[in-house]
Amino acid sequence: MSIERVNQILARGEGIRTEYKKSRIALPDNVFESVCAMLNRNGGDIILGADDDGTVLGVDTSRLEAIKTNIVTLSNNAQKLNPPYILFPEVYTINGELIIHIQVPSSSQVHKTGRYFYDRSDDGDFRVNEPQQIAELYNNKRAHYTEGIIYEKVVFDDFKADLFPVIRNLIKSNKAN
């Protein structure tokens, strides 16, 4: 991502795909509510070190690496984000201040943080409590992603046979059995 793209994110204001969070010395407690909501909706961008109006406040230089490490570690922790989804924060300097950009994709799975599911609307993250609302999250994913669909007419000849040994080796490298 380029600095120009980050400046565009800061200029567009908060919305369904954009969230700014003050985080001068620590990762905000509610950042994973935003991550979860964006994963469950259409993805988006989170800027740490910015006020709600997009004014760059910066992240303390001495705390920068700890905040980045927390983002990566917690996004891979099923007790914080379930199922886990590893995030890759990037650091930029804007007007002499450091900010952290987290690009959050739309996930093919439904995620929760802690014990709760979240969804995104406008510039807010909303806890989803009702079974019907949770079912809607799953139904929206099912309508957009094909991982859960069984294609009955597909036969082995429809695939590139030379890719199967490569795929098997990748799987074995992660799980030998």
Side-chain angles (χ1 to χ4, degrees):
M1 175 159 308
S2 68
I3 192 73
E4 292 82 20
R5 172 88 169 94
V6 173
N7 281 320
Q8 290 173 354
I9 294 167
L10 285 165
R12 75 178 173 213
E14 285 192 327
I16 195 164
R17 295 183 47 84
T18 309
E19 180 70 26
Y20 309 135
K21 297 212 178 275
K22 300 175 191 174
S23 51
R24 188 90 183 130
I25 59 172
L27 191 61
D29 290 337
N30 64 352
V31 73
F32 277 93
E33 293 173 10
S34 296
V35 168
C36 180
M38 287 180 174
L39 285 166
N40 288 340
R41 183 53 57 180
N42 298 321
D45 298 284
I46 300 172
I47 303 288
L48 302 180
D51 205 350
D52 287 342
D53 63 1
T55 302
V56 174
L57 304 172
V59 175
D60 187 297
T61 306
S62 66
R63 300 293 303 146
L64 183 72
E65 288 305 315
I67 293 172
K68 280 179 53 184
T69 299
N70 281 340
I71 294 165
V72 175
T73 303
L74 292 172
S75 69
N76 193 35
N77 179 340
Q79 293 179 345
K80 188 64 175 176
L81 184 64
N82 192 6
Y85 196 103
I86 299 176
L87 299 169
F88 300 93
E90 295 184 48
V91 177
Y92 295 92
T93 302
I94 299 188
N95 301 331
E97 296 287 348
L98 296 172
I99 60 146
I100 299 174
H101 171 249
I102 306 168
Q103 186 171 9
V104 182
S106 175
S107 176
S108 62
Q109 299 176 299
V110 176
H111 299 264
K112 62 182 177 178
T113 182
R115 298 183 342 237
Y116 301 107
F117 295 92
Y118 287 85
D119 198 0
R120 184 118 180 123
S121 179
D122 290 332
D123 66 347
D125 307 312
F126 299 95
R127 189 184 304 174
V128 178
N129 295 321
E130 299 298 319
Q132 177 186 346
Q133 295 171 316
I134 296 168
E136 283 179 29
L137 289 175
Y138 281 96
N139 287 334
N140 287 337
K141 297 295 181 180
R142 194 172 342 155
H144 290 92
Y145 295 95
T146 60
E147 290 110 358
I149 298 174
I150 297 172
Y151 295 94
E152 296 176 14
K153 304 290 183 195
V154 174
V155 295
F156 187 77
D157 291 339
D158 292 327
F159 297 100
K160 292 182 179 180
D162 58 331
L163 287 181
F164 278 85
V166 174
I167 294 168
R168 284 188 182 109
N169 285 335
L170 285 172
I171 293 169
K172 284 180 183 178
S173 70
N174 287 326
K175 194 169 185 179
N177 294 332

